[in-house]
Amino acid sequence: AYHALETLSQLIQYDFSEDKYVIANVPWHIEDKPRFPHREVLIDTSRHFQPVTTLKSFIRSLPYAKINTLHWHLVDSNSFPFCSKVLPKLCDGAFSDFEKYST
């Protein structure tokens, strides 16, 4: 039902001249299902650092595209920007001191 509501919200447009919301070319018959049970996106912050505010905004936007799986490539052999309280030297492998994720 959630994805159906998201599809409906993508069909609704605001008509500024009429000052109302409209759905063009109704009635609609929509059969929408993913080819696979997941709709996935990959974000690679191990090599392409993104600020936390950007990541939060990105994650909040995923339902609008009906994405239900996030693959986050957080660490890599070339960069390890994740700081751990248990193993604090892990993040010494980050590209710089400004490009680290911590809790």
Side-chain angles (χ1 to χ4, degrees):
Y2 179 77
H3 291 307
L5 289 173
E6 189 57 46
T7 298
L8 178 63
S9 75
Q10 292 170 354
L11 295 173
I12 298 173
Q13 300 173 350
Y14 186 75
D15 185 345
F16 288 96
S17 61
E18 298 281 328
D19 194 30
K20 65 181 180 180
Y21 291 96
V22 296
I23 301 176
N25 304 317
V26 291
W28 287 84
H29 175 78
I30 299 171
E31 291 183 27
D32 182 26
K33 65 179 182 179
R35 182 174 172 194
F36 301 103
H38 63 278
R39 293 180 178 181
E40 182 174 349
V41 67
L42 165 69
I43 185 166
D44 183 1
T45 58
S46 65
R47 294 182 182 230
H48 307 284
F49 183 82
Q50 297 294 321
V52 173
T53 54
T54 301
L55 293 173
K56 286 181 177 181
S57 175
F58 177 74
I59 291 169
R60 280 192 301 268
S61 71
L62 294 179
Y64 297 113
K66 303 177 193 168
I67 303 296
N68 62 11
T69 305
L70 172 64
H71 180 91
W72 188 355
H73 190 196
L74 180 62
V75 295
D76 195 302
S77 61
N78 295 324
S79 175
F80 206 99
F82 177 71
C83 297
S84 167
K85 292 179 182 178
V86 177
L87 299 167
K89 292 189 176 188
L90 278 179
C91 63
D92 288 348
F95 285 126
S96 73
D97 287 338
F98 300 106
E99 297 176 325
K100 294 180 180 179
Y101 299 108
S102 62
T103 57

